[in-house]
């Protein structure tokens, strides 16, 4: 899950707390949806000037995407190498939103990153 704290000085801090679900900060569908919701809120809130993303786990900042969840996706939800340039998926759209919003964005990485965790930060 995501714990969000918005400070009066314009700093919004989102803390990933996914360890309680699977034993490490695995990028689950739930965590992804919550992160996307936070990004959308930060993007349109003019009182937020700085967005900080951190982990509650000091040993493992973020692991990979939940492979079990990926295996359950219908074939229509999966993009293939030739399609990637033509059709941005939800992940690409979210990353583009982060990149283009007029806010300072900081990934406070403490601990290891793996797989999707590297992309996340």
């Amino acid at each position: 899950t995501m714990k969000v704290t918005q400070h009066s000085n314009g700093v919004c801090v989102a803390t990933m707390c996914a360890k309680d679900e699977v034993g490490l900060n695995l990028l689950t569908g739930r965590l992804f949806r919550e992160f996307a919701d936070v990004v959308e809120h930060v993007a349109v809130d003019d009182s937020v000037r700085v967005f900080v993303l951190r982990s509650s786990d000091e040993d493992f900042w973020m692991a990979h995407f939940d492979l079990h969840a990926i295996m359950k996706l219908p074939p229509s939800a999966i993009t293939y190498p030739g399609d990637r340039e033509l059709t941005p998926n939800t992940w690409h759209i979210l990353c583009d939103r982060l990149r283009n919003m007029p806010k300072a964005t900081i990934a406070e990485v403490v601990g290891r990153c793996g797989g999707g965790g590297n992309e996340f930060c």
Side-chain angles (χ1 to χ4, degrees):
T1 61
M2 298 287 291
K3 178 184 173 192
V4 180
T5 306
Q6 192 164 333
H7 301 279
S8 60
N9 63 357
V11 177
C12 179
V13 179
T15 304
M16 298 177 290
C17 307
K19 189 172 183 175
D20 57 346
E21 294 180 14
V22 290
L24 64 139
N25 270 341
L26 190 65
L27 188 48
T28 61
R30 176 182 175 185
L31 182 61
F32 178 80
R33 284 187 302 279
E34 289 179 6
F35 178 64
D37 289 346
V38 171
V39 169
E40 286 305 313
H41 167 77
V42 167
V44 299
D45 188 340
D46 291 336
S47 69
V48 176
R49 297 179 301 116
V50 178
F51 178 53
V52 179
L53 180 64
R54 62 174 53 144
S55 170
S56 63
D57 186 340
E58 294 180 4
D59 296 321
F60 211 113
W61 191 80
M62 173 60 71
H64 50 76
F65 287 99
D66 183 351
L67 299 178
H68 294 291
I70 290 173
M71 297 304 290
K72 293 178 185 175
L73 290 173
S76 61
I78 300 171
T79 59
Y80 297 93
D83 298 335
R84 288 184 186 148
E85 293 178 22
L86 303 175
T87 310
N89 62 30
T90 307
W91 176 252
H92 298 135
I93 293 167
L94 178 62
C95 290
D96 197 49
R97 183 75 156 159
L98 274 170
R99 184 173 52 95
N100 289 311
M101 67 180 180
K103 322 274 180 172
T105 306
I106 301 167
E108 185 182 301
V109 179
V110 177
R112 296 181 349 193
C113 283
N118 292 311
E119 295 175 6
F120 209 69
C121 65

